[in-house]
Amino acid sequence: MGTTQLAPVPVPEPKYLHLRTVLSQALDSEFSVGEILPNERELAARFGVARATLRQALEQLELEGRLQRRRGVGTTVAPPRVGVAVGAPGDAWPGAADDGWEPLDSAPAVPPASVADTLGTDREEAVHTVRRSRVSHGQPVAAEVLYVPRTSVPGLSAIDAPTGPARARAVLRALNTLEPGHRENAVELGSAHVDDARELDRLPGAPVLIVTTRWVTGDRTAALSVATYRADTCRLTFGEAGDVRIHHGPTASHAS
Amino acid sequence: MGTTQLAPVPVPEPKYLHLRTVLSQALDSEFSVGEILPNERELAARFGVARATLRQALEQLELEGRLQRRRGVGTTVAPPRVGVAVGAPGDAWPGAADDGWEPLDSAPAVPPASVADTLGTDREEAVHTVRRSRVSHGQPVAAEVLYVPRTSVPGLSAIDAPTGPARARAVLRALNTLEPGHRENAVELGSAHVDDARELDRLPGAPVLIVTTRWVTGDRTAALSVATYRADTCRLTFGEAGDVRIHHGPTASHAS
């Protein structure tokens, strides 16, 4: 249970990690947000390292949200990540007023098997799917597919449009007439699929944060959302005020 | 606001994304959890793709938690990610009974400037730091540094040991005598620093999920935790039951 951690054997710091620290300090002192970094050849020469070492350090800083690689632009200094509230107070249904999401489209579709199993629907059964998009501070931050079993919104069949944004709003309105349930969230690492990448202005395969939300009434799942958040620009916040902003750098050294 | 998404121009799927789908199906049908994949040369030959394409597809599946790359072993089929509850019910202080964390060490240290600013301490001022480790299902899943300003636990100075695990337990005990406050969490992408990587059995620079938790009493931050979770094996759950497990694959195709 980690007792071997008490007296860790000192390991020499790999070269790219040292470079990461040096670069990070240079970003703080010499560059401003949005500024384009010199190209890899110049940077490698300036810091006296191999290109491969430089690239590893740049990748680290990109994961940490300090740098952004943009196609056709180069590597720029990233603005601080924006706190995006996930799990608004009150366990409201999706589509409640001011939930920050824009309905784009809706259509009946057979969901992936794992979604059907969570919803408790047959694997061949079509459910309502709603595509929504979330914009924060003028930037697209998340793309969502919401799955709603037909039994959750039985009154909906009377509505004319079978697909499209009007249909999306109708599904959300119908959900909001239900008794409130409770909500469960999970966050995990993922990679941007083609549709999400296009919507979020990212390259396919870029790391993203996948937030799965289940709305539960009684003992059944009334709706399930799978939302893909940009990991480069977003910090997901949970709780009331929720905007904790901490620069994740090497931790303070212990005196022991 | 995303209205251009309604009739997206079809973009040909990049080769590695198609390969990702094919490989994912092969993992489901031909391989079992823990099994070692054939080497890159063999896989590239079998699927008729270039090594670079194969590597991109493998990286995607690694981000998605389907594959694990292990030094000296090769690429293996990953077990499903484990749901780890973050934000236990009741907004308890860190160190409350059964919070899942093992205290390892404690020492006074000057925290990073951004931590000091959040705590409202002077940038030169030492605070109590506590290192903790979290094990779930027999596996290390997270490494934490907890920062506690001296003013949060004024009674502590009477205790003898200035550092070490006994000191860590004393700091946590002192916190738990305070009136309960409320807690705010944030999750973001990061990369594993050397210490964390060693503790979590990962390579330095590997993607991780950084959870920052702030315990607030009145209008001040009584304690701040920066926890590094393995992103390859963990899904972070928020809420009561909280174990939503959804395979994140390509979403259902819409009929529109």
Side-chain angles (χ1 to χ4, degrees):
Chain A
M1 293 275 286
T3 47
T4 54
Q5 306 304 325
L6 293 179
V9 179
V11 172
E13 192 179 39
K15 212 176 251 181
Y16 74 92
L17 287 179
H18 177 68
L19 178 61
R20 180 213 150 275
T21 305
V22 173
L23 269 172
S24 176
Q25 287 160 354
L27 292 181
D28 285 337
S29 59
E30 296 175 37
F31 292 88
S32 49
V33 167
E35 201 172 334
I36 302 172
L37 252 57
N39 66 37
E40 287 188 1
R41 194 173 39 75
E42 286 171 57
L43 283 175
R46 167 168 167 190
F47 292 102
V49 296
R51 287 281 280 275
T53 305
L54 177 73
R55 247 180 243 134
Q56 275 184 294
L58 293 177
E59 267 168 35
Q60 281 238 315
L61 290 166
E62 198 183 357
L63 280 179
E64 292 165 24
R66 304 294 312 279
L67 294 176
Q68 282 181 305
R69 248 178 287 195
R70 288 149 65 185
R71 187 127 67 168
V73 176
T75 301
T76 60
V77 181
R81 284 177 175 158
V82 171
V84 178
V86 176
D91 288 337
W93 289 102
D98 303 323
D99 76 348
W101 290 91
E102 171 91 354
L104 297 179
D105 197 3
S106 177
V110 175
S114 58
V115 170
D117 294 349
T118 300
L119 293 175
T121 54
D122 288 339
R123 288 197 174 188
E124 309 300 314
E125 188 181 334
V127 302
H128 302 292
T129 64
V130 175
R131 275 205 164 266
R132 299 196 299 167
S133 159
R134 187 169 180 179
V135 172
S136 180
H137 300 72
Q139 219 186 39
V141 292
E144 180 200 52
V145 182
L146 179 69
Y147 300 94
V148 182
R150 289 169 194 268
T151 50
S152 293
V153 286
L156 197 70
S157 51
I159 291 173
D160 290 330
T163 62
R167 179 67 164 191
R169 285 188 292 271
V171 172
L172 295 168
R173 264 197 313 272
L175 265 182
N176 279 275
T177 62
L178 302 180
E179 287 293 309
H182 77 275
R183 179 163 57 182
E184 296 163 8
N185 287 111
V187 181
E188 63 187 300
L189 182 65
S191 72
H193 291 290
V194 176
D195 286 357
D196 299 329
R198 188 175 46 222
E199 198 167 325
L200 299 176
D201 189 22
R202 303 250 58 208
L203 295 177
V208 289
L209 297 170
I210 309 286
V211 179
T212 311
T213 307
R214 197 157 79 105
W215 284 266
V216 181
T217 50
D219 59 351
R220 66 183 200 85
T221 302
L224 178 74
S225 144
V226 179
T228 301
Y229 282 82
R230 286 181 67 147
D232 56 336
T233 56
C234 291
R235 295 168 48 258
L236 307 183
T237 68
F238 294 81
E240 285 154 61
D243 204 6
V244 200
R245 174 175 303 162
I246 298 300
H247 227 68
H248 181 64
T251 52
S253 56
H254 284 217
S256 65
Chain B
M1 293 273 286
T3 47
T4 55
Q5 306 303 326
L6 293 179
V9 179
V11 172
E13 191 178 41
K15 211 175 253 182
Y16 73 93
L17 286 180
H18 176 68
L19 178 61
R20 180 213 150 275
T21 305
V22 173
L23 269 172
S24 177
Q25 287 159 355
L27 293 181
D28 286 337
S29 59
E30 296 175 39
F31 292 90
S32 50
V33 167
E35 201 171 333
I36 302 172
L37 252 56
N39 66 37
E40 287 188 3
R41 194 173 40 75
E42 286 172 57
L43 284 175
R46 166 167 167 191
F47 292 103
V49 296
R51 288 280 280 274
T53 305
L54 177 73
R55 248 182 240 133
Q56 275 185 294
L58 294 177
E59 267 168 34
Q60 281 238 316
L61 290 167
E62 199 184 356
L63 279 179
E64 292 165 23
R66 303 294 311 279
L67 293 176
Q68 283 181 304
R69 248 178 287 195
R70 287 149 65 187
R71 188 130 63 170
V73 176
T75 302
T76 59
V77 180
R81 284 176 175 160
V82 170
V84 179
V86 176
D91 288 338
W93 288 101
D98 303 323
D99 76 349
W101 290 91
E102 171 90 354
L104 298 179
D105 197 3
S106 178
V110 175
S114 58
V115 170
D117 294 349
T118 299
L119 294 174
T121 54
D122 288 339
R123 289 197 175 187
E124 309 300 314
E125 188 182 333
V127 302
H128 302 292
T129 65
V130 175
R131 274 206 164 264
R132 298 196 299 167
S133 159
R134 187 169 179 179
V135 172
S136 181
H137 299 72
Q139 218 185 42
V141 293
E144 180 200 51
V145 181
L146 179 69
Y147 300 94
V148 183
R150 289 169 194 268
T151 50
S152 292
V153 286
L156 198 69
S157 51
I159 291 173
D160 291 330
T163 62
R167 180 66 165 191
R169 285 189 292 272
V171 172
L172 295 168
R173 263 198 312 272
L175 266 182
N176 278 276
T177 62
L178 303 179
E179 285 294 307
H182 77 274
R183 178 164 58 182
E184 295 163 8
N185 287 112
V187 181
E188 64 187 299
L189 182 65
S191 72
H193 292 290
V194 176
D195 286 357
D196 299 329
R198 188 175 44 221
E199 197 166 324
L200 299 175
D201 190 21
R202 303 249 58 206
L203 295 176
V208 289
L209 297 170
I210 309 287
V211 179
T212 311
T213 307
R214 197 157 79 104
W215 284 267
V216 182
T217 49
D219 58 352
R220 66 182 200 85
T221 301
L224 179 75
S225 144
V226 179
T228 301
Y229 281 83
R230 287 182 68 147
D232 56 336
T233 56
C234 291
R235 295 168 48 258
L236 308 182
T237 67
F238 294 82
E240 284 155 61
D243 204 6
V244 201
R245 174 175 303 160
I246 299 300
H247 227 68
H248 181 64
T251 52
S253 55
H254 282 216
S256 67

